[in-house]
Amino acid sequence: MLQFVPEDRKPRLSTSKVLLLLSTAGIVLLSFVPVYELVVFLQSSKGWSESYLNAITEFRIGQGWLITLLLSIILAVAIYLDGSRYIQALYLFLLILTVGFYSHVSTLDLWAGFVLHSIHFLFMSMWAGVLLHVAWFAKDGTNWRRFLAWFTPFALFCVAAVIGSGIVIMFFFVAPTDYANSWALPYGQLLLLKHVSIIPVLLAALINGFLNKKKVFQQAWLKVESILLLIVFVFTAFMSKQAPPHDVNDTLRIEGGGWLVEELAGPLSIPLTAVMDWTLNGLLLMGLSLLLLTLMLAGFSRQLNAWLSFLFSIGFIISFYVGLMLNLSF
């Protein structure tokens, strides 16, 4: 995307063809992990070669990886030969569509799931991609004001699209009435942590986009925002490995409760009914979490080290999550 932005409207960036090629290879290798897990499962009754062949040709996840491999090879060749930015953008867009078409939500509703996941992944990639590149590869603050003039409204639009599509996708797996009940399950615990961790990301984005009145280039704060965003991705990755609670009570019977649920919220009983059961420790921890968010803002206004505010953000996620669970009973 940054290739389409005029040079006078973005910072000077260090570019590396080797890194781009390694990133393209990473798409192939990392997207192969679920296929390998499927092969290991199939190998118990078949040989390795037959298991690989079956996984890639007979299962959606394998077919999706095969298309990903072919598109990535073409993209790598285009990058290596300094091909047209339009060609590179086309094949990257096709890779995103492949992710959407072979996503979990598309197995529930093919075309609606395909469109929703593609939109979700596309706008997340554009927002996070520009953020990560500028945060870690900008040489200096050249053209910083002109960059913010277009990136701030663009990021707002992307975030709105990501959140909106994400909420709709979530309702494919968790009914709105079961949202709090799902917190008793491993999937729901990670979903809760993901949603809680989004809050400091949005606060960091607010600081970088709006509260920086002088529009000064503060690369450390961009790095803080990017790492907080990566934490959201980590929770999303672990969440994708858990059984989604289409029926919360049935999933609880089969999968069992989340890791810390009974230690924090007490015993679980079927049918699940999440209710707020306020406790002193829970209220104190939630109050502490709000204080930590305030300190994150204060750290910026006082020009303290940005990484101190990053620690405040991590403290917010932990204290809010533990405090909320202490105030819940099922």
Tab-separated table of all heavy atoms in Angstrom, residues 64-94:
chain	number	residue	atom	x	y	z
A	64	GLY	N	-6.846	-24.573	0.353
A	64	GLY	CA	-6.531	-23.159	0.562
A	64	GLY	C	-5.034	-22.923	0.640
A	64	GLY	O	-4.520	-21.937	0.094
A	65	TRP	N	-4.320	-23.847	1.308
A	65	TRP	CA	-2.866	-23.684	1.402
A	65	TRP	C	-2.207	-23.848	0.037
A	65	TRP	O	-1.251	-23.127	-0.281
A	65	TRP	CB	-2.273	-24.703	2.373
A	65	TRP	CG	-0.781	-24.557	2.462
A	65	TRP	CD1	-0.084	-23.636	3.194
A	65	TRP	CD2	0.194	-25.326	1.750
A	65	TRP	NE1	1.263	-23.785	2.983
A	65	TRP	CE2	1.470	-24.810	2.095
A	65	TRP	CE3	0.103	-26.394	0.852
A	65	TRP	CZ2	2.649	-25.338	1.581
A	65	TRP	CZ3	1.283	-26.911	0.333
A	65	TRP	CH2	2.538	-26.398	0.699
A	66	LEU	N	-2.704	-24.756	-0.778
A	66	LEU	CA	-2.124	-24.959	-2.107
A	66	LEU	C	-2.258	-23.694	-2.949
A	66	LEU	O	-1.313	-23.276	-3.633
A	66	LEU	CB	-2.800	-26.141	-2.793
A	66	LEU	CG	-2.223	-26.569	-4.150
A	66	LEU	CD1	-0.764	-26.961	-3.999
A	66	LEU	CD2	-3.036	-27.717	-4.741
A	67	ILE	N	-3.419	-23.065	-2.904
A	67	ILE	CA	-3.613	-21.801	-3.630
A	67	ILE	C	-2.708	-20.721	-3.049
A	67	ILE	O	-2.103	-19.923	-3.786
A	67	ILE	CB	-5.096	-21.379	-3.567
A	67	ILE	CG1	-5.961	-22.394	-4.315
A	67	ILE	CG2	-5.283	-19.983	-4.166
A	67	ILE	CD1	-7.444	-22.159	-4.185
A	68	THR	N	-2.586	-20.697	-1.713
A	68	THR	CA	-1.699	-19.737	-1.056
A	68	THR	C	-0.258	-19.918	-1.530
A	68	THR	O	0.459	-18.946	-1.788
A	68	THR	CB	-1.772	-19.906	0.475
A	68	THR	OG1	-3.107	-19.635	0.917
A	68	THR	CG2	-0.816	-18.965	1.185
A	69	LEU	N	0.177	-21.178	-1.645
A	69	LEU	CA	1.534	-21.472	-2.111
A	69	LEU	C	1.759	-20.926	-3.520
A	69	LEU	O	2.768	-20.245	-3.794
A	69	LEU	CB	1.766	-22.983	-2.085
A	69	LEU	CG	3.059	-23.493	-2.730
A	69	LEU	CD1	4.273	-22.972	-1.979
A	69	LEU	CD2	3.066	-25.026	-2.800
A	70	LEU	N	0.823	-21.187	-4.421
A	70	LEU	CA	0.984	-20.756	-5.811
A	70	LEU	C	1.006	-19.225	-5.920
A	70	LEU	O	1.848	-18.646	-6.616
A	70	LEU	CB	-0.146	-21.338	-6.670
A	70	LEU	CG	-0.163	-22.868	-6.788
A	70	LEU	CD1	-1.404	-23.330	-7.546
A	70	LEU	CD2	1.098	-23.364	-7.477
A	71	LEU	N	0.081	-18.556	-5.212
A	71	LEU	CA	0.032	-17.094	-5.252
A	71	LEU	C	1.283	-16.487	-4.625
A	71	LEU	O	1.800	-15.464	-5.103
A	71	LEU	CB	-1.224	-16.589	-4.533
A	71	LEU	CG	-2.565	-16.877	-5.213
A	71	LEU	CD1	-3.719	-16.474	-4.309
A	71	LEU	CD2	-2.658	-16.142	-6.553
A	72	SER	N	1.778	-17.100	-3.555
A	72	SER	CA	2.974	-16.585	-2.886
A	72	SER	C	4.204	-16.711	-3.772
A	72	SER	O	5.076	-15.826	-3.768
A	72	SER	CB	3.203	-17.328	-1.558
A	72	SER	OG	2.138	-17.097	-0.653
A	73	ILE	N	4.294	-17.798	-4.517
A	73	ILE	CA	5.422	-17.971	-5.440
A	73	ILE	C	5.411	-16.865	-6.501
A	73	ILE	O	6.447	-16.242	-6.795
A	73	ILE	CB	5.372	-19.362	-6.101
A	73	ILE	CG1	5.684	-20.448	-5.064
A	73	ILE	CG2	6.360	-19.449	-7.266
A	73	ILE	CD1	5.482	-21.867	-5.575
A	74	ILE	N	4.226	-16.594	-7.060
A	74	ILE	CA	4.117	-15.540	-8.080
A	74	ILE	C	4.446	-14.184	-7.470
A	74	ILE	O	5.154	-13.362	-8.081
A	74	ILE	CB	2.710	-15.539	-8.699
A	74	ILE	CG1	2.430	-16.883	-9.382
A	74	ILE	CG2	2.580	-14.394	-9.707
A	74	ILE	CD1	1.000	-17.028	-9.858
A	75	LEU	N	3.952	-13.946	-6.244
A	75	LEU	CA	4.239	-12.678	-5.566
A	75	LEU	C	5.736	-12.540	-5.314
A	75	LEU	O	6.312	-11.455	-5.516
A	75	LEU	CB	3.466	-12.606	-4.250
A	75	LEU	CG	3.737	-11.378	-3.372
A	75	LEU	CD1	3.360	-10.097	-4.109
A	75	LEU	CD2	2.965	-11.480	-2.058
A	76	ALA	N	6.385	-13.613	-4.867
A	76	ALA	CA	7.829	-13.568	-4.609
A	76	ALA	C	8.605	-13.261	-5.883
A	76	ALA	O	9.573	-12.486	-5.871
A	76	ALA	CB	8.286	-14.890	-3.998
A	77	VAL	N	8.191	-13.862	-7.006
A	77	VAL	CA	8.858	-13.592	-8.286
A	77	VAL	C	8.690	-12.126	-8.675
A	77	VAL	O	9.646	-11.464	-9.136
A	77	VAL	CB	8.296	-14.514	-9.394
A	77	VAL	CG1	8.815	-14.094	-10.763
A	77	VAL	CG2	8.663	-15.966	-9.111
A	78	ALA	N	7.476	-11.581	-8.460
A	78	ALA	CA	7.216	-10.172	-8.785
A	78	ALA	C	8.080	-9.249	-7.928
A	78	ALA	O	8.601	-8.237	-8.412
A	78	ALA	CB	5.732	-9.857	-8.594
A	79	ILE	N	8.227	-9.578	-6.643
A	79	ILE	CA	9.066	-8.764	-5.757
A	79	ILE	C	10.530	-8.865	-6.174
A	79	ILE	O	11.241	-7.858	-6.257
A	79	ILE	CB	8.890	-9.223	-4.290
A	79	ILE	CG1	7.472	-8.900	-3.800
A	79	ILE	CG2	9.927	-8.558	-3.392
A	79	ILE	CD1	7.150	-9.491	-2.443
A	80	TYR	N	10.985	-10.083	-6.459
A	80	TYR	CA	12.395	-10.302	-6.810
A	80	TYR	C	12.769	-9.573	-8.101
A	80	TYR	O	13.871	-9.021	-8.232
A	80	TYR	CB	12.654	-11.800	-6.952
A	80	TYR	CG	14.088	-12.137	-7.281
A	80	TYR	CD1	15.077	-12.073	-6.297
A	80	TYR	CD2	14.458	-12.510	-8.574
A	80	TYR	CE1	16.397	-12.368	-6.599
A	80	TYR	CE2	15.776	-12.804	-8.883
A	80	TYR	CZ	16.747	-12.731	-7.883
A	80	TYR	OH	18.057	-13.018	-8.187
A	81	LEU	N	11.850	-9.554	-9.056
A	81	LEU	CA	12.126	-8.920	-10.350
A	81	LEU	C	11.723	-7.447	-10.374
A	81	LEU	O	11.716	-6.834	-11.447
A	81	LEU	CB	11.387	-9.678	-11.459
A	81	LEU	CG	11.800	-11.133	-11.666
A	81	LEU	CD1	10.940	-11.780	-12.740
A	81	LEU	CD2	13.280	-11.231	-12.023
A	82	ASP	N	11.378	-6.884	-9.190
A	82	ASP	CA	10.924	-5.484	-9.103
A	82	ASP	C	9.744	-5.242	-10.037
A	82	ASP	O	9.697	-4.254	-10.793
A	82	ASP	CB	12.062	-4.513	-9.436
A	82	ASP	CG	13.188	-4.583	-8.414
A	82	ASP	OD1	12.876	-4.657	-7.212
A	82	ASP	OD2	14.366	-4.593	-8.817
A	83	GLY	N	8.787	-6.159	-9.978
A	83	GLY	CA	7.620	-6.055	-10.839
A	83	GLY	C	6.733	-4.884	-10.480
A	83	GLY	O	6.918	-4.201	-9.462
A	84	SER	N	5.751	-4.642	-11.313
A	84	SER	CA	4.824	-3.530	-11.126
A	84	SER	C	4.157	-3.597	-9.751
A	84	SER	O	3.801	-4.668	-9.267
A	84	SER	CB	3.748	-3.577	-12.216
A	84	SER	OG	2.663	-2.753	-11.891
A	85	ARG	N	4.010	-2.438	-9.130
A	85	ARG	CA	3.324	-2.391	-7.836
A	85	ARG	C	1.880	-2.866	-7.968
A	85	ARG	O	1.294	-3.393	-7.018
A	85	ARG	CB	3.361	-0.977	-7.260
A	85	ARG	CG	2.716	0.075	-8.152
A	85	ARG	CD	2.888	1.477	-7.600
A	85	ARG	NE	2.310	2.477	-8.501
A	85	ARG	CZ	2.285	3.781	-8.237
A	85	ARG	NH1	2.808	4.236	-7.110
A	85	ARG	NH2	1.740	4.624	-9.083
A	86	TYR	N	1.278	-2.680	-9.141
A	86	TYR	CA	-0.092	-3.142	-9.361
A	86	TYR	C	-0.158	-4.671	-9.372
A	86	TYR	O	-1.104	-5.260	-8.830
A	86	TYR	CB	-0.640	-2.578	-10.673
A	86	TYR	CG	-0.759	-1.078	-10.688
A	86	TYR	CD1	0.229	-0.293	-11.281
A	86	TYR	CD2	-1.845	-0.443	-10.076
A	86	TYR	CE1	0.125	1.091	-11.278
A	86	TYR	CE2	-1.949	0.939	-10.071
A	86	TYR	CZ	-0.963	1.710	-10.673
A	86	TYR	OH	-1.053	3.072	-10.662
A	87	ILE	N	0.850	-5.304	-9.968
A	87	ILE	CA	0.903	-6.767	-9.980
A	87	ILE	C	1.083	-7.298	-8.556
A	87	ILE	O	0.410	-8.245	-8.131
A	87	ILE	CB	2.042	-7.254	-10.889
A	87	ILE	CG1	1.762	-6.891	-12.354
A	87	ILE	CG2	2.239	-8.767	-10.744
A	87	ILE	CD1	0.533	-7.558	-12.921
A	88	GLN	N	2.002	-6.677	-7.798
A	88	GLN	CA	2.225	-7.094	-6.417
A	88	GLN	C	0.954	-6.931	-5.587
A	88	GLN	O	0.591	-7.814	-4.792
A	88	GLN	CB	3.373	-6.296	-5.800
A	88	GLN	CG	4.717	-6.548	-6.453
A	88	GLN	CD	5.839	-5.768	-5.786
A	88	GLN	OE1	5.844	-5.594	-4.580
A	88	GLN	NE2	6.802	-5.296	-6.587
A	89	ALA	N	0.284	-5.798	-5.760
A	89	ALA	CA	-0.952	-5.539	-5.008
A	89	ALA	C	-2.033	-6.546	-5.389
A	89	ALA	O	-2.794	-7.012	-4.526
A	89	ALA	CB	-1.433	-4.117	-5.256
A	90	LEU	N	-2.112	-6.901	-6.676
A	90	LEU	CA	-3.127	-7.846	-7.131
A	90	LEU	C	-2.952	-9.196	-6.451
A	90	LEU	O	-3.926	-9.764	-5.926
A	90	LEU	CB	-3.042	-8.004	-8.651
A	90	LEU	CG	-3.893	-9.136	-9.244
A	90	LEU	CD1	-5.372	-8.881	-9.002
A	90	LEU	CD2	-3.598	-9.308	-10.737
A	91	TYR	N	-1.725	-9.714	-6.444
A	91	TYR	CA	-1.521	-11.050	-5.882
A	91	TYR	C	-1.636	-11.046	-4.361
A	91	TYR	O	-2.076	-12.025	-3.763
A	91	TYR	CB	-0.180	-11.617	-6.348
A	91	TYR	CG	-0.259	-12.083	-7.787
A	91	TYR	CD1	0.340	-11.358	-8.816
A	91	TYR	CD2	-0.970	-13.226	-8.124
A	91	TYR	CE1	0.232	-11.767	-10.142
A	91	TYR	CE2	-1.078	-13.656	-9.439
A	91	TYR	CZ	-0.478	-12.919	-10.436
A	91	TYR	OH	-0.597	-13.324	-11.736
A	92	LEU	N	-1.274	-9.938	-3.732
A	92	LEU	CA	-1.481	-9.844	-2.285
A	92	LEU	C	-2.974	-9.801	-1.970
A	92	LEU	O	-3.445	-10.424	-1.007
A	92	LEU	CB	-0.790	-8.602	-1.741
A	92	LEU	CG	-0.603	-8.530	-0.226
A	92	LEU	CD1	0.145	-9.742	0.289
A	92	LEU	CD2	0.133	-7.265	0.158
A	93	PHE	N	-3.740	-9.091	-2.811
A	93	PHE	CA	-5.194	-9.042	-2.634
A	93	PHE	C	-5.817	-10.418	-2.835
A	93	PHE	O	-6.708	-10.833	-2.090
A	93	PHE	CB	-5.788	-8.030	-3.612
A	93	PHE	CG	-7.287	-7.887	-3.501
A	93	PHE	CD1	-7.875	-7.386	-2.351
A	93	PHE	CD2	-8.111	-8.252	-4.554
A	93	PHE	CE1	-9.258	-7.262	-2.248
A	93	PHE	CE2	-9.486	-8.133	-4.467
A	93	PHE	CZ	-10.060	-7.632	-3.310
A	94	LEU	N	-5.321	-11.157	-3.824
A	94	LEU	CA	-5.828	-12.517	-4.051
A	94	LEU	C	-5.492	-13.426	-2.861
A	94	LEU	O	-6.284	-14.307	-2.515
A	94	LEU	CB	-5.243	-13.081	-5.344
A	94	LEU	CG	-5.726	-12.431	-6.644
A	94	LEU	CD1	-4.979	-13.015	-7.849
A	94	LEU	CD2	-7.232	-12.610	-6.813
